[in-house]
Amino acid sequence: MIAPYLCPNCKTNRSRYHLLEQSPQAVKLNPQSGEIMEQYDSSSLDPFHLPYKGTSKRVQCGSCGLIEDEQSFVKFAESHPAKLQ
C-alpha cells in the first residue's frame, strides 16, 4: 500500500520506518525441548492446527520502535493530516 504513515505512539514520525515482511511457518514443537518435530505447508495442516490469518506486512516506527500492522499507521495519518507550510 502506498499511503502516508504517522506513528500512533510517538505522534511525530512521518518518515522513518522499518517495513517487516512476515512469512509464517507452521510447525509442531516438542513440548519439553522446543525442538521442531514436524513442519507443515498450508495444504497439509492437521485438524488441530489453524492456518495463519495475520497480515503479511508489519511496520516498525524508526523513532520509538512501535511495531503494528501497516493499517494502524495509515489510519492514524488519515485522521491527523500533515500541515503544509
Side-chain angles (χ1 to χ4, degrees):
M1 170 182 294
I2 297 177
Y5 288 173
L6 176 58
C7 178
N9 186 51
C10 66
K11 300 173 179 62
T12 58
N13 181 24
R14 291 185 182 269
S15 60
R16 291 176 180 82
Y17 296 96
H18 300 278
L19 302 179
L20 311 169
E21 297 292 329
Q22 296 194 131
S23 57
Q25 181 181 11
V27 298
K28 182 176 183 179
L29 300 178
N30 180 308
Q32 282 76 37
S33 68
E35 182 179 348
I36 295 176
M37 296 173 46
E38 196 170 349
Q39 293 186 1
Y40 305 101
D41 64 16
S42 60
S43 63
S44 69
L45 293 177
D46 67 27
F48 297 106
H49 201 123
L50 295 173
Y52 179 72
K53 294 182 180 174
T55 60
S56 61
K57 186 189 293 185
R58 306 266 293 176
V59 176
Q60 181 180 26
C61 176
S63 296
C64 72
L66 176 72
I67 300 174
E68 287 288 336
D69 290 338
E70 181 181 34
Q71 218 36 42
S72 298
F73 290 89
V74 172
K75 291 293 183 187
F76 200 71
E78 286 174 357
S79 64
H80 296 83
K83 294 177 181 147
L84 300 175
Q85 297 176 359

